[in-house]
Amino acid sequence: LTSLVLTLTETLRYRGALGQWSWVLHRITGLGTLLFLVLHVIGVAWSVLYPTLWEKEVLIYQHPLFTVGEFALVACVVYHALNGMRIGILDYNPKWWKHQQRAAVYVLIGTVVLLVPTFILMFQHVLKHYQAPEAPFIVSLAFIAEAQFPFLVGIVVAAVAAVLLSGVVGLVSGGGNATVSAKANRGSGLERFWWSFMRTSGILIVPLVFGHLALAHIVQGVFELNMVNAGIAGVPVNESLGALANGINNSGTAVEYVAERWNFLLGSVAIWRLYDAALLALVVVHGFNGLRYVLTDYTQGSPLLRRAAGYLCLIGAVVLLVVGTVALLGTIDQSMVDMAREAQAAIRAGGA
Ligand code: HEM
Ligand code: HEM
């Protein structure tokens, strides 16, 4: 905690030092995106595991508060991506270090230049939604709190499990320095790997996450994920294919939207499943290793908490990778879509 306070006070003290501000912004935007990712991967997996819960999740995505969060999320991803590329490029080219300050300014300018047209296009979807003849359906705050509460419980349980595990490992190893120093060499090689991984994975994530966001916010928009008879972004219309693969959201459920995307075959390859699998693997490992860097910085004084930070990130990454992969390998059939349609109708009728 002391080092967290130190980070914030030092940042304020060095007001004007752009490098310091861009470091803090990079950290906040990375953590913000990771928090969303945790809720999102589990939410999407529900389309296969508990269809009615994904239906609820998308209604929450359409709440005005989330619309604000959606603009913030896109801003976080764009800034973090551009600044991450700056870090990567400069790290591999020490001769350019003298241009650090200027590069940080370019990142800010680049972020604004990308965000202005993106926000205008996103805002058109918001306007269209609120100007539609039928009044938009908005879930209550109590509905959101109830749906998100299990996530909070899950995060707390994972944190407690990590601290307990760290305590047990500490007891078993006797907190011996010998173990720590024996691992130190291996650790430094491993840390070099992670250093390079963060930079290469970052570059690979850029086209994947920008493509994903372009589909979800510009081409289609969050409000169209559960729109009756809407087309499906990235899936051509082909009436001759079955109801869950014809490129049209016949039922108007968010569950059918995912089914259509994941059922689409190019040749015989389910390209959107492959795309999502690559995105899942890269963002989860990159994001949780980033979280490990952050938590390690703030737990220097306590070996127990430092180890626990590592375990927490490992638990988080494994859970998301397993849940996300199970979903990607699963099948959504008509009975699940029907279940989602009934749940959606009940929520709308109940005026949640
Ligand atoms: C509000 C913003 C977003 C919306 C509406 C959205 C929507 C969706 C939808 C509908 C799917 C289901 C499959 C598909 O259509 O491909 C999906 C899957 C996925 N999204 Fe997003 N997305 C958003 C932001 C993000 C961001 C910022 C990330 C990464 C940081 C991300 C990572 C993923 C991953 C990894 C999957 C696959 C999940 C799995 O394996 O089960 N999404 N998203
Ligand atoms: C869009 C492309 C991305 C690029 C180019 C990128 C690049 C980077 C780079 C270069 C670092 C610094 C690594 C280091 O200090 O060794 C980093 C840190 C981090 N990234 Fe990303 N990243 C991207 C996407 C993401 C996403 C989608 C997430 C969340 C799921 C994320 C979360 C983090 C976190 C939490 C950190 C640690 C921040 C810190 O140590 O202060 N990044 N990123």
Side-chain angles (χ1 to χ4, degrees):
L1 189 69
T2 329
S3 37
L4 178 61
V5 173
L6 203 66
T7 306
L8 293 173
T9 47
E10 287 300 286
T11 305
L12 288 173
R13 202 158 69 80
Y14 286 116
R15 218 177 351 212
L18 202 55
Q20 183 75 1
W21 278 113
S22 59
W23 175 78
V24 172
L25 262 185
H26 192 73
R27 185 155 273 195
I28 294 173
T29 51
L31 292 178
T33 310
L34 181 63
L35 176 64
F36 170 77
L37 183 74
V38 172
L39 309 184
H40 182 52
V41 169
I42 297 178
V44 171
W46 278 337
S47 61
V48 176
L49 305 172
Y50 300 101
T52 57
L53 293 183
W54 172 236
E55 220 48 54
K56 285 187 180 179
E57 201 64 17
V58 167
L59 287 172
I60 293 175
Y61 281 8
Q62 297 170 345
H63 189 277
L65 269 184
F66 187 86
T67 303
V68 175
E70 187 194 340
F71 280 73
L73 175 71
V74 172
C76 280
V77 175
V78 170
Y79 177 81
H80 188 92
L82 295 188
N83 197 51
M85 289 194 283
R86 170 185 75 95
I87 295 172
I89 292 170
L90 288 178
D91 278 353
Y92 285 112
N93 292 287
K95 57 181 186 303
W96 290 343
W97 284 357
K98 55 180 182 293
H99 302 302
Q100 296 251 21
Q101 288 277 337
R102 206 182 316 161
V105 176
Y106 289 159
V107 166
L108 282 178
I109 296 175
T111 305
V112 174
V113 167
L114 274 181
L115 284 184
V116 169
T118 308
F119 279 3
I120 292 176
L121 292 170
M122 284 170 66
F123 199 65
Q124 284 175 354
H125 285 287
V126 180
L127 275 184
K128 195 173 147 204
H129 179 65
Y130 285 98
Q131 285 173 348
E134 67 280 12
F137 176 74
I138 300 176
V139 292
S140 68
L141 289 177
F143 179 91
I144 299 179
E146 197 191 321
Q148 302 306 308
F149 185 67
F151 286 113
L152 187 64
V153 175
I155 292 170
V156 171
V157 168
V160 171
V163 173
L164 288 178
L165 188 61
S166 168
V168 172
V169 171
L171 282 178
V172 172
S173 68
N177 282 336
T179 334
V180 174
S181 57
K183 278 187 177 164
N185 279 341
R186 199 150 48 97
S188 67
L190 193 63
E191 284 313 324
R192 271 203 304 278
F193 162 79
W194 282 121
W195 187 90
S196 311
F197 175 83
M198 291 303 274
R199 280 142 191 83
T200 24
S201 62
I203 299 296
L204 295 171
I205 292 169
V206 172
L208 289 175
V209 83
F210 277 23
H212 188 69
L213 289 183
L215 287 189
H217 299 285
I218 296 175
V219 177
Q220 191 104 55
V222 173
F223 300 109
E224 286 167 36
L225 293 182
N226 56 3
M227 193 181 274
V228 185
N229 289 335
I232 309 284
V235 181
V237 175
N238 185 344
E239 309 260 9
S240 66
L241 294 176
L244 300 185
N246 60 4
I248 302 167
N249 194 341
N250 307 92
S251 64
T253 61
V255 172
E256 177 166 349
Y257 183 89
V258 179
E260 291 272 354
R261 299 248 316 145
W262 285 354
N263 285 344
F264 173 59
L265 299 179
L266 189 69
S268 51
V269 182
I271 51 160
W272 293 121
R273 283 192 204 238
L274 273 185
Y275 186 108
D276 284 352
L279 182 63
L280 175 76
L282 288 168
V283 288
V284 168
V285 180
H286 177 105
F288 276 99
N289 191 51
L291 177 65
R292 183 177 66 89
Y293 286 167
V294 176
L295 294 180
T296 306
D297 272 359
Y298 301 125
T299 49
Q300 294 289 349
S302 157
L304 173 84
L305 291 181
R306 203 165 171 211
R307 264 195 316 270
Y311 291 139
L312 177 64
C313 297
L314 188 65
I315 294 172
V318 170
V319 168
L320 277 208
L321 286 176
V322 170
V323 171
T325 308
V326 167
L328 281 167
L329 294 174
T331 311
I332 299 175
D333 61 27
Q334 191 58 47
S335 70
M336 293 154 84
V337 171
D338 293 342
M339 203 191 296
R341 187 170 35 197
E342 278 161 30
Q344 196 194 93
I347 296 168
R348 287 178 192 268

